[in-house]
Structures are given as structure tokens and as C-alpha cells.
Amino acid sequence: MPSIVERDHSKMRFNASSMIFVRFLLQILVVWCIVYLVNHLFLHFQATKRPYSRLLRSLGCHVSIFNIGFYTTSFNRTFYRIGTSNARLWKIWFTVGILVAFGTAVTACVTLFILPIKYIYELQRRAPSSIDLGINTDGVSQSLTQNNRNDATVDDRDKLLIQPIIPGINVPLEHIPHFFVALLLCTIFHEFGHAVAASAEQIRVNGCGYFLFLLYPGAYVDLHQEQLQMISAVRQLRIYCAGVFHNMVLVVIALIFLVFNPIFLRYFYTEGATVYRVAKDSPIRDLLPIYSIIQSIDACTVNTSDDWYQCLRSINDQHPQQSSGYCLTQTEIQTHSSHIELNQTTHYDCCQNLSQKNYCFLYHSKQYPDQNGACMEARIVTKHPPCFLNSDCHSYNNDASCIHPFSADNITRLIRIAHSNGPPILFVGSIHEIYRTIGIQSYKPNYIYLPTILIHDIPLFFQYLGAFSFALAFFNAVPCYALDGQYILSSFVEYLSPTLFKRRRASILLGLIFGTCLLIINVSLAFARYFL
């Protein structure tokens, strides 16, 4: 039975995340429908058609379903000045970029080729386990085996090299600002590389644009195609490889920051599990001040944010009757109990919701060896020493018993959170609610003037920046239609065989088909493995 309950709890957490994502997606769709409807009405009413059209033209704006974009020539002169100011240095810089892009392309193609093979191997390796599950006839063992498989699936999902990025599922909604700004910066820096490389090679930049599709920002540069086709293959490669190269530069910058930031924090911040966020809908929002330091949760000591999340996972994995309890003597139980239920069943709440202060506790004792229930005030009970077994209470008193909070649904918990800025907080609810509504970071600033964003927000931003930059470089390096890899492959084949047009065309076609198929297979597998 415990394993079935835990499996239902994991499903509940996944369903809660799914509901958050669906609600968030519906809100995004409603906003886009309103934008599209307003744009349509302004363009079709005679009173607003002309001034609105002039406004769109002046902004270089175009609106379509789920997409809004802007095009401008305002930065052309800036690109030209930057690209021509030190043209020789830029050419050396972007020549290095060719080598980096080729290394990235080879790594990406080999990785995309190996991943499906690895997935097939894993499927074959897991096949016998399904037979073992079918042979096992014990219901409890079956549920445990199935639960272990579910946990393994969740772990495998988190370890996937290629994952779909979906706000509300694997990107918490509170991370949306970091997500959005990092992705926008990655795309802008990518296109900035193309524009500067083109200017250094004396190729005219017609303009640049940026757009927002649903929630995903993007950018592009418009180069003079006739001039681009007239230059040599090496010069083309400098331009086409510049985007991938600049994304890899961002990856290096992000890694440098993430490596040195903990060293900086060690000198100017104090290590401790510090509260940096409490959601508005949290029932303990008024009880847990921001920047409080968490000391323990139940019997689990907390020193860092990793300890906090590890304690939550540990409590969640335990059955409520196996979780930590409190040492009370028989006299104390008799004194503090409003009433006692002897031979307490596991489906009966001994308090019967008589008072919000009281909670049902289960215990065994020498006098009453069977499972018994006592309805006591939770605040008084939780002041006693923590324990897991009766033997843990012998140092407290030989007559003491370890009493455990009881919940009829096996999901609701009585959680004691000790912190530095007030009395311990007693929380009644699910572990998922605590995980969702309370954010913990591992450091607290030593001085008031030190910004707290260096602890969580900026490192989180650089994590997204590095991940998105690497993803853009990785996928754009693959020889695939409509990506940078298509043009990199064309220029590279032209450099190798400048005179053999027919052979060159066949090589490009085969390379693009191979790269496109690899990308489609891996992206499809990523979605299938994440959601199935």
C-alpha cells in the first residue's frame, strides 16, 4: 500500500505541474488572440486604418497569428563602423570562429548519431524487466517494482541531453524573466556575429529584425545576397560560422561566471539556507520572513539549499507513519491529550477535525503495545525531541514513546520548519506545496549593500544563458535545411571543390538530407521520451 500511495502522489505532482502549464498556455493564447483581433480591427476600420498603418510602417512592425515582429535599418551604420574599424582583427577573430564552428558541427553530428542508437540499446536492456514484472504475482511487490520504474523514468527524463523547453513543466513560471532575457540575448548576440562578420567582409547589411513567437523571442539580419554570393568560400564561412562561434563564446563566459561566482560568494556572503521567495498563495507567507535562515525541517537539519530540497525529497519518500515523530512520556500523553483512541486504525482520524490546533498522533508503548491514537495540540507536541523509533527516546525517558503525526489520506503532512526569525512554523499540507511556494538559496549577504541577486537570480540567468547559447550553437552547426549549417556546408563543399558544380551539388544535398533527418529523429525522440 505505501508504494501505491507514493505513486499516486507523484502523479498528483505531475498533474499539478501539467495544470499550471495548461493554464499558463491558455493565458498566452488568449493574449495573442486579443493582440491579433485588435490589429485586425484597427486595419479594417476606416477611422484607424491609415494612422495605424503609418505607425506600423514607422516601427517596421508586422503582426500575424501568434507572432509579432519588427524590422529596422537603424543599426546598419553601427554594424558597419564596428566591422570596418579593425577589419584585420575581426577576420582573425572570425577565422577562429570557423574552427570552433566546425568542431561544434562534428560534435553535434556524432552526438545526434549516437543518441538514437543509445536509446535503442536502453530499450533492449529494459525489455527483460517487463517480463520479471509480469511473473511477479505479489501485489505489493508489483506496485513497488512499478513505482521504481516510474521513479527511474522521472530520473531519465531529467537526464535527457535534448529536452523540450516548456514553461510550467521543466521551466518554473517564476523563471520566465530569466528564460526570456537569456534567450533574447543569445539570439541577438548570434545575429550580431553575422552582421559584424558581414561588415568586416564588406557585405552590406540591409537591416535587422527581432520577433516574438508565442513566448519565444528571436532575431535575424538581412544581408545583401548578391554581394554574399560573389565573395570566396572562406569569406562566406567567416560570415556563416560567426553566429555559432558567438554562441560558444557566450557559453564560455557563462561557464567562467558560474565557476568563479561560488568563490566570490564565499568571501562576501554567509552560507545558510536563506529564504528568498515565498509565493503569495502560500499559507505561511506571513509567518516566514524573506531572508530567514532555515535551520531544520522536522528532524532533518538544513544548512544549504541542497539540504532543504534533499530533506523535502526524503520526507516525501517516507510513509507518514515512518516519518519523524516526537518523544513523549505516557504521563505527558495523558496530560496533553483531549482523548485517546486505543487500537487506532490506519483509516480513522482520532481528532475528527475537532480543533485546528489539535492533530492526531499514533504511538506504541509498553503499557499499550498495539497502535494507539492521541489527539493533542500540535504546537505542544512538536516542542519535544524528535525521533523515528521508540528506542530513540530512551535518552529522553525510559517510559517515552515516539509518537508520529497521522493523516488519513497519507498525503497531508504535519511539517515543523525551524527558522532564525521567529518561532517554528507548523505546516499542514503536502510536501509539494512547500516545494512550490518556498524558494531557498544557499547564501545570505554579510553586508546590507551587497545585492542578493548575485546569490540566485544572476547565476540562474547565466545557467539559462549558457544552456540556450550551447543549444543554438549545437543545432545551428548541424547541416540542416533553414539553419546556419545549411550555408556552412554549402560554403565548405564549395571550398573543397570549387570547379565541380554537379558533384558539389550532390554532396550538399546528401549532407543536408543526412543532417535534417538526424535532427528530426532526435527532436522527435526527445519529445517522445519526455512525455511518454
Side-chain angles (χ1 to χ4, degrees):
M1 178 62 71
S3 60
I4 296 174
V5 172
E6 289 171 4
R7 187 177 64 205
D8 292 341
H9 194 191
S10 66
K11 288 181 179 178
M12 181 197 69
R13 293 199 306 271
F14 181 77
N15 291 336
S17 299
S18 300
M19 289 303 297
I20 293 172
F21 167 66
V22 170
R23 185 166 62 247
F24 177 71
L25 181 61
L26 288 176
Q27 291 172 349
I28 294 295
L29 294 178
V30 168
V31 170
W32 275 112
C33 288
I34 292 173
V35 170
Y36 183 75
L37 180 61
V38 170
N39 177 73
H40 180 78
L41 292 176
F42 277 15
L43 287 174
H44 285 78
F45 276 114
Q46 292 298 326
T48 58
K49 183 176 181 179
R50 269 187 195 173
Y52 183 66
S53 297
R54 283 199 299 267
L55 176 63
L56 291 181
R57 282 196 299 271
S58 65
L59 295 174
C61 177
H62 63 275
V63 180
S64 58
I65 189 69
F66 304 141
N67 181 72
I68 182 170
F70 297 87
Y71 182 86
T72 181
T73 59
S74 303
F75 300 103
N76 292 3
R77 191 169 296 177
T78 302
F79 293 142
Y80 181 78
R81 279 203 303 265
I82 295 174
T84 57
S85 58
N86 292 290
R88 174 176 283 187
L89 291 177
W90 281 121
K91 287 181 180 180
I92 295 173
W93 172 258
F94 290 117
T95 301
V96 175
I98 295 176
L99 301 176
V100 173
F102 269 87
T104 306
V106 172
T107 303
C109 290
V110 172
T111 303
L112 294 179
F113 183 75
I114 292 176
L115 284 179
I117 298 174
K118 181 183 176 184
Y119 179 57
I120 294 172
Y121 171 74
E122 289 176 353
L123 284 179
Q124 293 176 344
R125 190 181 62 179
R126 291 177 184 176
S129 64
S130 62
I131 297 175
D132 296 341
L133 182 64
I135 293 174
N136 194 342
T137 56
D138 181 20
V140 175
S141 299
Q142 279 188 348
S143 63
L144 285 170
T145 306
Q146 184 66 33
N147 191 42
N148 290 335
R149 291 177 66 196
N150 290 339
D151 293 341
T153 302
V154 173
D155 292 339
D156 290 346
R157 185 183 294 132
D158 292 337
K159 294 176 183 177
L160 290 177
L161 182 61
I162 301 176
Q163 294 186 23
I165 302 173
I166 306 173
I169 296 294
N170 55 0
V171 176
L173 296 183
E174 60 267 21
H175 291 182
I176 290 297
H178 310 80
F179 167 90
F180 183 86
V181 174
L183 187 55
L184 183 62
L185 182 60
C186 290
T187 54
I188 289 176
F189 199 62
H190 178 102
E191 300 302 331
F192 175 78
H194 288 309
V196 173
S199 298
E201 298 294 342
Q202 300 296 317
I203 302 299
R204 192 175 73 197
V205 178
N206 295 328
C208 63
Y210 48 97
F211 60 89
L212 182 67
F213 176 73
L214 283 177
L215 193 66
Y216 299 92
Y220 61 94
V221 290
D222 179 19
L223 304 180
H224 195 286
Q225 292 300 316
E226 292 182 2
Q227 292 182 2
L228 192 56
Q229 296 302 321
M230 296 296 293
I231 61 177
S232 66
V234 174
R235 295 174 66 189
Q236 289 180 7
L237 282 172
R238 291 196 191 106
I239 297 172
Y240 292 140
C241 294
V244 173
F245 177 47
H246 273 212
N247 281 135
M248 292 306 292
V249 169
L250 278 184
V251 172
V252 173
I253 292 172
L255 287 175
I256 291 173
F257 175 85
L258 293 173
V259 167
F260 285 98
N261 188 59
I263 299 173
F264 174 80
L265 291 177
R266 221 170 277 133
Y267 286 99
F268 295 96
Y269 295 81
T270 301
E271 191 172 18
T274 307
V275 178
Y276 75 89
R277 177 186 62 85
V278 181
K280 293 181 180 179
D281 59 342
S282 174
I284 61 175
R285 178 178 174 85
D286 297 331
L287 302 175
L288 186 62
I290 300 297
Y291 305 134
S292 299
I293 296 179
I294 301 296
Q295 298 163 340
S296 66
I297 176 167
D298 280 355
C300 189
T301 303
V302 177
N303 295 314
T304 65
S305 61
D306 290 339
D307 294 341
W308 166 263
Y309 294 113
Q310 182 60 42
C311 288
L312 290 180
R313 284 192 294 269
S314 176
I315 294 171
N316 182 63
D317 292 341
Q318 294 171 343
H319 188 272
Q321 295 181 34
Q322 298 172 341
S323 61
S324 64
Y326 303 91
C327 294
L328 274 78
T329 64
Q330 289 302 308
T331 304
E332 289 171 330
I333 293 175
Q334 295 287 342
T335 302
H336 299 307
S337 301
S338 59
H339 66 276
I340 293 178
E341 298 281 347
L342 299 179
N343 300 321
Q344 165 82 35
T345 66
T346 57
H347 302 287
Y348 179 72
D349 183 0
C350 61
C351 285
Q352 299 180 349
N353 298 322
L354 296 178
S355 171
Q356 292 183 349
K357 293 183 179 181
N358 290 354
Y359 206 84
C360 186
F361 294 87
L362 300 183
Y363 69 97
H364 300 271
S365 65
K366 296 178 181 178
Q367 186 178 359
Y368 305 105
D370 294 329
Q371 183 169 259
N372 307 299
C375 183
M376 293 182 283
E377 186 174 336
R379 179 68 62 182
I380 294 176
V381 172
T382 54
K383 291 180 179 179
H384 290 75
C387 60
F388 287 94
L389 302 170
N390 281 353
S391 58
D392 298 335
C393 298
H394 289 168
S395 60
Y396 176 68
N397 192 298
N398 288 331
D399 188 38
S401 299
C402 186
I403 66 173
H404 299 269
F406 169 76
S407 172
D409 59 10
N410 289 333
I411 294 175
T412 304
R413 310 281 183 128
L414 172 64
I415 304 295
R416 182 181 186 269
I417 303 174
H419 62 99
S420 60
N421 286 3
I425 296 170
L426 296 184
F427 173 86
V428 178
S430 69
I431 294 295
H432 172 67
E433 192 71 13
I434 296 179
Y435 180 86
R436 184 184 65 84
T437 59
I438 300 176
I440 302 295
Q441 58 194 15
S442 294
Y443 295 92
K444 182 178 182 179
N446 293 335
Y447 308 100
I448 299 176
Y449 57 82
L450 286 176
T452 57
I453 57 174
L454 285 172
I455 302 173
H456 179 264
D457 291 315
I458 292 183
L460 181 62
F461 166 76
F462 274 95
Q463 289 175 18
Y464 278 115
L465 184 70
F468 290 154
S469 292
F470 183 78
L472 281 176
F474 185 90
F475 289 115
N476 273 286
V478 177
C480 176
Y481 285 102
L483 296 179
D484 287 349
Q486 174 184 354
Y487 307 104
I488 294 173
L489 177 64
S490 300
S491 300
F492 179 65
V493 173
E494 181 182 349
Y495 173 75
L496 293 179
S497 55
T499 58
L500 302 175
F501 178 76
K502 290 184 178 181
R503 184 181 297 178
R504 188 173 71 213
R505 187 174 179 182
S507 301
I508 293 171
L509 183 61
L510 288 175
L512 290 178
I513 292 174
F514 175 75
T516 304
C517 290
L518 270 184
L519 202 56
I520 291 174
I521 290 171
N522 279 273
V523 171
S524 301
L525 281 177
F527 275 91
R529 293 183 69 187
Y530 195 85
F531 290 104
L532 299 181

